[in-house]
Amino acid sequence: MATNSKASDDTTAPPSYDTISANPIQCSKSSIFPFRRMKQKRAAVLFRIRDIVLAPDFAPSSVTQNVNACAVALPASELSNIITQLNIEGHTALYWAIVNDRSQAFWALQKLTSRYPFDCSSDLRMACMITNNHTLFRQLGLGDYNEHRRLRSLLGCPRDTILVHRCDEHTNQFNVVLQIRMFQKRTRVATKDDCYYQFVAGGRIWFLRFILVNSTGLWSAEIGLCQHSPPARLNAVLLIEAHSRKSGCATPLEALKIPLSLADTEFMALAHWRSLPPGMTSRLSKELGDWVMHDTTEYVDHEGTLHAKLEVTLL
């Protein structure tokens, strides 16, 4: 497999590796020009990293030694740039490590990155979607938005819990369990009048949003698809757990059921708004009611946490 043109432009004379080894990365000493030697080093490091994430006969046991050889060859900022650029078949090295299920290589390379540029972050999101890996998606914070992260920090609010459970692969069913901390406080101070969450399931990246509808003054729940996700036909219901405010209450309260189903609309499927074919919609929405602003609502626990479960069946 040949590298793309971007990688080839930086390659004057890449070393030949018949077998992958952990030898130090060396370049020709014949050049008296430092910039040319640095260019050769970059090409050699990219070639080594490409083998780490793509070579079919690469041994996982040699990951650490090879990555360390790359780290010695280049300054940290240069190496971080190489790892996070779309320079291997149009994707980043991190993307290929995820897609090829090379977790050891992924974490070894990820430790050497200082930040994710936008293109890299988008590439990682796509890799998590392709591999249906919600755990890694959350671990890398790929669904976190700076504004929401900043608001949680200002309120001293811990990170929310979002878990995806595949219930029945034959019937394409999955559940998303959410614990949204300080729910009411955050809805009251949110500057954009919404609380927004993302998760990976069914080979797609989804969003679930609680949004204040200005025309009614009421909060609604919305579900939709994020960019690059294929269209979906679904029936879903959002169950919001009820909590008794009275101590010693033995009778369990009934959960609030919010249907989010295509069956209740005239549309054929759900799709991302940037590529919305005729007959499809970008979101399914339903009003929650006015309980969101009630201080004594039963739909948050005594700590202000909203416990919900989204049950989805793909049609």
Side-chain angles (χ1 to χ4, degrees), residues 40-284:
Q40 290 175 344
K41 279 190 175 183
R42 291 194 196 102
V45 166
L46 176 57
F47 193 84
R48 182 75 63 93
I49 291 174
R50 184 183 185 280
D51 278 333
I52 292 173
V53 299
L54 284 185
D57 56 348
F58 190 84
S61 60
S62 65
V63 166
T64 301
Q65 290 175 309
N66 276 280
V67 170
N68 287 344
C70 295
V72 170
L74 289 177
S77 59
E78 290 275 355
L79 184 56
S80 178
N81 286 339
I82 288 177
I83 293 171
T84 57
Q85 288 175 358
L86 308 180
N87 50 19
I88 302 177
E89 309 298 333
H91 294 284
T92 62
L94 297 173
Y95 168 96
W96 288 115
I98 295 172
V99 170
N100 288 331
D101 195 24
R102 300 188 180 185
S103 58
Q104 187 176 355
F106 174 83
W107 290 113
L109 293 170
Q110 192 268 346
K111 288 179 182 177
L112 300 176
T113 61
S114 55
R115 65 183 183 87
Y116 296 147
F118 176 80
D119 286 346
C120 177
S121 180
S122 179
D123 208 39
L124 291 175
R125 286 170 60 88
M126 194 176 301
C128 289
M129 181 183 74
I130 291 170
T131 56
N132 214 29
N133 195 335
H134 172 74
T135 301
L136 183 61
F137 182 82
R138 287 284 292 171
Q139 202 167 354
L140 298 177
L142 297 174
D144 292 347
Y145 281 78
N146 289 335
E147 183 173 340
H148 295 159
R149 191 184 298 116
R150 187 163 50 248
L151 178 58
R152 286 203 320 268
S153 177
L154 291 172
L155 296 175
C157 178
R159 195 178 187 212
D160 301 307
T161 299
I162 306 176
L163 302 174
V164 174
H165 301 292
R166 280 179 283 183
C167 300
D168 190 336
E169 294 186 6
H170 297 291
T171 56
N172 291 321
Q173 294 179 338
F174 62 85
N175 292 342
V176 184
V177 177
L178 304 101
Q179 293 179 7
I180 304 173
R181 295 168 177 85
M182 297 186 183
F183 177 74
Q184 286 182 297
K185 182 180 287 189
R186 287 159 67 183
T187 55
R188 290 169 180 172
V189 302
T191 56
K192 286 192 175 181
D193 297 329
D194 73 344
C195 295
Y196 187 84
Y197 308 93
Q198 293 186 359
F199 57 92
V200 178
R204 300 167 176 85
I205 301 177
W206 307 75
F207 71 79
L208 177 67
R209 179 167 63 170
F210 299 96
I211 182 169
L212 180 63
V213 181
N214 293 327
S215 60
T216 63
L218 297 176
W219 285 81
S220 291
E222 290 185 352
I223 186 174
L225 291 168
C226 297
Q227 193 172 11
H228 304 305
S229 297
R233 298 181 64 245
L234 72 150
N235 286 328
V237 60
L238 180 65
L239 302 173
I240 299 178
E241 188 177 329
H243 305 266
S244 175
R245 295 282 179 169
K246 299 178 181 179
S247 59
C249 180
T251 306
L253 299 177
E254 186 175 351
L256 179 65
K257 295 182 179 180
I258 310 293
L260 297 164
S261 175
L262 279 171
D264 299 329
T265 74
E266 59 186 11
F267 300 106
M268 297 184 299
L270 195 63
H272 185 258
W273 63 270
R274 286 185 177 175
S275 54
L276 195 62
M280 297 190 187
T281 182
S282 61
R283 65 185 185 273
L284 297 172

Side-chain angles (χ1 to χ4, degrees), residues 279-304:
M280 297 190 187
T281 182
S282 61
R283 65 185 185 273
L284 297 172
S285 179
K286 200 76 171 182
E287 283 187 356
L288 294 174
D290 58 1
W291 61 265
V292 177
M293 292 294 109
H294 292 177
D295 290 333
T296 58
T297 180
E298 61 197 33
Y299 296 116
V300 295
D301 65 17
H302 67 284
E303 294 181 344

Side-chain angles (χ1 to χ4, degrees), residues 14-23 47-48 51 55-59:
S16 175
Y17 296 102
D18 294 328
T19 59
I20 307 303
S21 67
N23 294 331
F47 193 84
R48 182 75 63 93
D51 278 333
D57 56 348
F58 190 84

Side-chain angles (χ1 to χ4, degrees), residues 26-39:
Q26 298 177 350
C27 298
S28 171
K29 296 183 179 180
S30 60
S31 174
I32 62 173
F33 300 106
F35 75 89
R36 184 170 294 177
R37 292 195 64 195
M38 179 58 72
K39 187 176 181 180

